[in-house]
Amino acid sequence: LASCSGKLVFAYNSSESPMISHTDMIARAWDSNPRVIKFPRKHQRSSSANGLRRQKRDWVIPPINVPENSRGPFPQMLVRIRSDQDLEKGIRYSITGAGADQPPIDVYNIDPVHGKMFVTRPLDREERASYHLRAHAVDMNGNKVESPIDLYIYVIDMNDNRPEFQNQVYNGSVAEGSKPGTLVMQVTANDSDDDTTANGMVRYRILSQTPHMPIPNMFTINSETGDIFTVAAGLDREYTIIVQATDMEGNLNFGLSNTATALISVTDINDNPPELTARTVPENRVNVVVANLTVIDRDQPHSPNWAAQYRIASGDPQGHFLIRTNPVNNDGMVTVVKPVDYEQNRAFMLTVIVSNKAPLASGIQSSLQSSAGVTISVQDVNEPPVFPSNPKSIRFEEGVPAGTTLTVFAAQDPDLFIHQTVRYSKLSDPANWLRINRTNGQITTMAVLDRESMYVRNNIYEATFLAADNGSPPASGTGTLQIHLIDVNDNAPVLLPKEAQVCERASPRSRVNITASDADADPHVGPFVFELPSYPPSVRRNWTASRISGDYAQLRLRIPYLDAGVYEVPIIVSDSGNPPLSNRSMIKVKVCPCDDNGDCTTTGAVAAAGLGTGAIIAILICIIILLTMVLVFVMWMKRREKERQAKPLLIDPEDDVRDNILKYDEEGGGEEDQDYDLSQLQQPEALDHIICKPTGVRRVDERPVIAESQYPIRPSLPHPGDIGDFINDGLRAADNDPTAPPYDSLLVFDYEGSGSTAGSVSSLNSSSSGDQDYDYLNDWGPRFKKLADLYGGGDDD
């Protein structure tokens, strides 16, 4: 709007909307010239009668509509305010009110020079639905140039709030057996969006009902008010209903939804009179006694005149029941001998005739037999799903890609009067090739089917699947799927053997029989084509291949003579498939010298193995050297052993190892003999105090309390000739030592190990031939007296 007489000009950018792209919005906000509507100036018209002037009304500025949750960019231009006096003087623009200089502050601002008004951030209608601002225009000195303009800004509602139920769980009740149309309860959901638009208009619907019996839709709901009503009779249990509330007048494509739970309890009424127990039989059961028929016979019990016979006269044309007589009480036991099916017969009306085994006596005015009616009800039980075709056979070519649909392997639920859901699963899939849809039983492949797989038997692959219902209790059945795989030519032929041997000279025996095999089946196998490749040229120059039959060929030398060695001969073999497949196989042929019988000689076999004469000689030399080294080592070990056994007692000091004494645990006599001083076994440092003592008996029963004797010390590096003197000195010191043990006990010494490299010392100062005088033993002291008596007995001997 613009003033024709110098008033404010109000420009409204009416093209701002969420549908404009960011680029267009910025261009229009800053570069475009918005549509200008002028203020109608205040016309003053003179009256001819009284000179009064009449003022015309101003135009009302339309409100500004801004959508909430705008994505910007911000600041986003809304309108442009201009005074036509800005051509004559500088004008400054400003806005006041809630949203500008009052809380909430800085939601809107204005360019003071150009008068462009902007919104600075996204708006939320649920927080504030409208704004009232005033626009001002002043000159550079702050003087008012135009009268303020009222600006009304309305926030356009967007569907950004879901309906919210007042309660997540609602509880209601209805009498059992209520008529259709009975009000049960009401659910209420509120939407924070504008309820005058579709954004806030909520509609209700029922998503599910549990349980589904007797029918899945026992209730309905008023879509506008949320009132829940009954629509069918037969309420006799508790129900759980899931209610959905959707805005946008219930449009599921554009509206937002929320759910709540309604628990409806059915109050009991007296609608079941007392009943006698009925004779019932579960379906699919045999050898079950369902009824006992009692008869009265006044004849002699357990006699033929008393024994009863039962017969079914009618009501069981297929022979499901048989009546056996109880020999104890003569009752008739109605027994199921053939399974009954609830889906075919819910009840049986049997007519039973009973008579005696013995005929009735003549002249008796009574009926020969009696009859009665028996009603048997069949009890429905949950039966497992049944696959109509079991096993089911299908035919497919091998090599079909993964994701291919093979068939639908669906089962049927025999329980026709109970709505149950059947779910499928895989029970056995040896190669893990198949996948089954849980809801409809559709079979698809997960991998490529291969007829040559180890899991395929006689071109047939078998997989087993399970179908289970949701009955109470759940029941399941199995079905087998047989896939007959049609062969395709997907395997190239191979040759056997991989290795062969021929003579180096061409002869009738210098040939190799080769066989081709193919994993495929007819007609993708033989007859095969055998040929030698053209490269390298030496193959066709030295060898030739000829087919004997469809699967066999011969390889032989083309030239009269071929050097001994190992040759790799390539052969190309092709099958008879459409299109045929070829394979280049390598046969390792050993060419060797042969004897008169056409067999390779030993030398020829070695040469054919690729070893020359020089290599063979080198191997033999190495073997001889190794055997020589082993022989020398054995001889050296035997010589060393002999030297060790022949080494004398007196050896060089540097070879003397007797100082290496091993000390082990001590073992002695009884408990009364353990109290002695083992230090007496140590070597004394001097022998003077012992040698100077007079001879005589030095032994006592108790250890004398005197200073211990000193034994001689062996030099660290003794001369071999001093060993005998050292032993004699030590012996003399021990004989004359009164403090040395034992005191009427055995001498205990340390164990120094078994064996000695020095040999025995018994040969010292001894002679093995001739007579020897042992009288000197009497001079050795009292400790050798017994020995002197034994060897030097004199006349007593």
Side-chain angles (χ1 to χ4, degrees):
L1 297 177
S3 174
C4 298
S5 61
K7 299 300 180 182
L8 283 176
V9 176
F10 175 76
Y12 173 55
N13 190 353
S14 61
S15 62
E16 297 294 339
S17 69
M19 302 302 294
I20 301 176
S21 64
H22 291 172
T23 305
D24 294 342
M25 189 178 296
I26 296 174
R28 295 190 181 189
W30 295 98
D31 299 332
S32 64
N33 295 321
R35 183 166 57 93
V36 177
I37 301 176
K38 295 183 178 181
F39 274 115
R41 65 180 182 177
K42 299 178 181 178
H43 299 280
Q44 303 208 350
R45 183 177 298 176
S46 299
S47 177
S48 59
N50 52 16
L52 296 177
R53 307 177 68 86
R54 183 172 62 88
Q55 178 176 329
K56 295 182 65 178
R57 292 183 301 169
D58 291 342
W59 289 94
V60 177
I61 298 175
I64 304 170
N65 294 324
V66 181
E68 67 172 333
N69 303 324
S70 175
R71 297 184 179 180
F74 295 100
Q76 181 180 0
M77 180 180 173
L78 299 179
V79 297
R80 183 180 181 189
I81 301 173
R82 189 178 66 81
S83 173
D84 57 1
Q85 297 187 27
D86 59 357
L87 301 176
E88 303 173 358
K89 62 180 71 175
I91 303 298
R92 294 294 181 265
Y93 303 95
S94 62
I95 56 176
T96 59
D101 59 347
Q102 300 177 14
I105 300 175
D106 293 335
V107 177
Y108 305 94
N109 59 26
I110 190 171
D111 184 355
V113 177
H114 300 91
K116 294 180 180 180
M117 181 177 170
F118 301 91
V119 59
T120 61
R121 59 174 179 261
L123 303 180
D124 187 358
R125 192 202 68 85
E126 286 71 37
E127 293 182 1
R128 192 180 183 96
S130 63
Y131 297 86
H132 179 202
L133 303 177
R134 305 197 74 186
H136 306 271
V138 298
D139 58 15
M140 301 300 292
N141 296 325
N143 298 320
K144 182 172 70 173
V145 176
E146 303 288 354
S147 298
I149 297 177
D150 291 320
L151 303 177
Y152 294 94
I153 302 174
Y154 295 105
V155 181
I156 302 175
D157 182 46
M158 307 295 289
N159 189 21
D160 58 347
N161 290 278
R162 296 181 180 273
E164 297 291 340
F165 283 94
Q166 295 180 356
N167 302 304
Q168 281 300 313
V169 179
Y170 291 84
N171 292 289
S173 62
V174 61
E176 180 183 10
S178 297
K179 296 181 180 181
T182 302
L183 177 63
V184 179
M185 61 191 305
Q186 183 184 31
V187 295
T188 304
N190 299 320
D191 197 318
S192 299
D193 293 324
D194 190 358
D195 56 1
T196 62
T197 65
N199 298 336
M201 295 182 180
V202 180
R203 297 294 182 265
Y204 304 91
R205 70 189 188 106
I206 295 177
L207 290 181
S208 64
Q209 167 194 307
T210 304
H212 299 284
M213 295 180 292
I215 61 173
N217 301 316
M218 294 292 295
F219 302 92
T220 186
I221 189 171
N222 189 305
S223 61
E224 296 183 1
T225 62
D227 293 332
I228 298 177
F229 299 90
T230 61
V231 295
L235 299 172
D236 60 352
R237 64 192 71 224
E238 304 293 325
Y239 294 91
T240 301
I241 297 177
I242 305 299
V243 180
Q244 183 185 58
T246 306
D247 56 18
M248 297 297 291
E249 297 183 284
N251 191 319
L252 298 178
N253 295 325
F254 304 101
L256 302 178
S257 303
N258 212 336
T259 59
T261 302
L263 302 178
I264 301 176
S265 60
V266 179
T267 58
D268 183 49
I269 61 175
N270 188 13
D271 57 348
N272 294 299
E275 297 178 354
L276 295 174
T277 303
R279 296 183 177 97
T280 60
V281 54
E283 62 175 338
N284 302 322
R285 295 278 299 276
V286 294
N287 296 324
V288 178
V289 177
V290 296
N292 284 319
L293 306 180
T294 303
V295 295
I296 299 175
D297 195 316
R298 288 180 288 274
D299 292 324
Q300 180 66 35
H302 305 290
S303 66
N305 299 329
W306 173 81
Q309 289 182 333
Y310 298 88
R311 179 172 59 88
I312 298 176
S314 63
D316 185 21
Q318 297 180 356
H320 292 283
F321 303 95
L322 178 66
I323 303 178
R324 299 185 176 96
T325 303
N326 190 330
V328 177
N329 53 20
N330 217 20
D331 288 347
M333 299 181 295
V334 182
T335 307
V336 181
V337 294
K338 184 178 179 180
V340 295
D341 190 356
Y342 176 83
E343 284 71 28
Q344 294 182 359
N345 292 301
R346 299 189 184 184
F348 291 87
M349 304 291 294
L350 305 181
T351 300
V352 180
I353 297 176
V354 58
S355 61
N356 290 124
K357 288 184 178 182
L360 195 66
S362 61
I364 301 301
Q365 301 297 323
S366 177
S367 175
L368 299 178
Q369 57 189 12
S370 298
S371 63
V374 179
T375 301
I376 299 176
S377 299
V378 180
Q379 180 183 357
D380 188 20
V381 297
N382 186 28
E383 299 176 87
V386 178
F387 289 90
S389 300
N390 193 13
K392 181 177 182 180
S393 298
I394 59 174
R395 297 176 64 88
F396 260 88
E397 283 190 351
E398 65 169 332
V400 294
T404 302
T405 300
L406 300 183
T407 185
V408 176
F409 197 25
Q412 298 176 356
D413 194 346
D415 298 310
L416 303 179
F417 302 102
I418 303 177
H419 180 72
Q420 296 181 146
T421 302
V422 179
R423 291 291 181 262
Y424 301 91
S425 61
K426 186 167 59 175
L427 190 62
S428 173
D429 183 11
N432 198 26
W433 285 346
L434 307 178
R435 178 191 298 111
I436 187 168
N437 188 291
R438 286 183 52 82
T439 57
N440 58 16
Q442 179 175 285
I443 306 294
T444 56
T445 61
M446 295 192 301
V448 177
L449 305 184
D450 185 10
R451 190 194 68 87
E452 291 74 32
S453 171
M454 60 182 295
Y455 302 105
V456 178
R457 299 289 184 271
N458 298 326
N459 300 331
I460 295 177
Y461 179 76
E462 287 190 355
T464 306
F465 299 91
L466 183 72
D469 59 22
N470 60 343
S472 179
S476 61
T478 59
T480 301
L481 178 66
Q482 295 181 341
I483 306 174
H484 188 281
L485 296 177
I486 303 174
D487 184 46
V488 298
N489 193 20
D490 58 346
N491 291 276
V494 294
L495 291 180
L496 294 174
K498 299 297 183 182
E499 295 182 356
Q501 181 176 286
V502 298
C503 297
E504 61 184 359
R505 297 187 182 277
S507 65
R509 299 181 181 179
S510 297
R511 61 189 62 189
V512 178
N513 293 327
I514 55 179
T515 304
S517 63
D518 197 322
D520 294 321
D522 288 334
H524 305 300
V525 288
F528 299 98
V529 177
F530 304 87
E531 58 181 346
L532 298 176
S534 59
Y535 183 84
S538 60
V539 176
R540 291 191 174 183
R541 185 175 60 251
N542 299 335
W543 305 90
T544 180
S546 59
R547 189 174 70 178
I548 301 176
S549 62
D551 299 341
Y552 303 97
Q554 277 189 350
L555 176 68
R556 63 180 183 271
L557 287 175
R558 180 185 291 272
I559 58 178
Y561 175 79
L562 184 62
D563 292 336
V566 179
Y567 297 86
E568 291 186 350
V569 181
I571 298 179
I572 300 175
V573 58
S574 303
D575 58 21
S576 300
N578 186 19
L581 293 181
S582 301
N583 183 26
R584 181 187 177 104
S585 300
M586 302 295 294
I587 297 181
K588 184 180 293 185
V589 181
K590 295 181 181 180
V591 180
C592 59
C594 296
D595 54 16
D596 296 338
N597 296 326
D599 299 327
C600 282
T601 61
T602 304
T603 305
V606 175
L611 297 178
T613 304
I616 296 174
I617 294 174
I619 292 175
L620 294 176
I621 292 175
C622 291
I623 294 174
I624 293 173
I625 292 175
L626 181 61
L627 293 176
T628 304
M629 293 177 62
V630 172
L631 183 60
V632 171
F633 178 75
V634 172
M635 294 176 64
W636 179 77
M637 290 296 296
K638 290 184 176 180
R639 181 178 178 182
R640 184 176 178 183
E641 182 67 22
K642 291 180 179 180
E643 292 178 353
R644 183 182 298 110
Q645 294 177 359
K647 184 174 291 186
L649 175 64
L650 302 179
I651 58 177
D652 295 335
E654 57 271 14
D655 295 333
D656 189 8
V657 295
R658 290 175 295 166
D659 288 339
N660 299 331
I661 298 176
L662 301 176
K663 178 175 173 56
Y664 295 86
D665 291 340
E666 300 167 353
E667 297 180 0
E671 296 179 356
E672 67 277 9
D673 299 329
Q674 298 298 321
D675 189 13
Y676 54 82
D677 187 7
L678 293 179
S679 62
Q680 303 301 323
L681 296 178
Q682 300 176 355
Q683 296 178 352
E685 297 180 356
L687 300 175
D688 296 339
H689 66 287
I690 297 176
I691 299 174
C692 298
K693 292 181 181 180
T695 61
V697 179
R698 304 288 186 180
R699 182 168 180 172
V700 293
D701 293 337
E702 295 182 2
R703 180 178 179 179
V705 185
I706 59 175
E708 296 180 355
S709 301
Q710 298 295 325
Y711 286 80
I713 299 176
R714 182 186 177 190
S716 59
L717 294 175
H719 190 273
D722 297 336
I723 294 178
D725 296 336
F726 175 78
I727 293 177
N728 293 328
D729 294 340
L731 180 60
R732 190 184 310 113
D735 290 340
N736 296 280
D737 185 5
T739 63
Y743 312 110
D744 294 335
S745 64
L746 297 175
L747 292 177
V748 180
F749 298 91
D750 284 350
Y751 179 71
E752 297 182 356
S754 62
S756 172
T757 58
S760 176
V761 298
S762 62
S763 61
L764 295 178
N765 296 328
S766 63
S767 176
S768 60
S769 63
D771 297 334
Q772 185 173 354
D773 185 10
Y774 296 98
D775 294 336
Y776 66 90
L777 294 177
N778 295 319
D779 300 331
W780 282 12
R783 298 185 181 179
F784 291 87
K785 186 178 183 300
K786 185 65 175 176
L787 187 61
D789 293 340
L790 292 175
Y791 285 88
D795 298 333
D796 296 337
D797 295 339

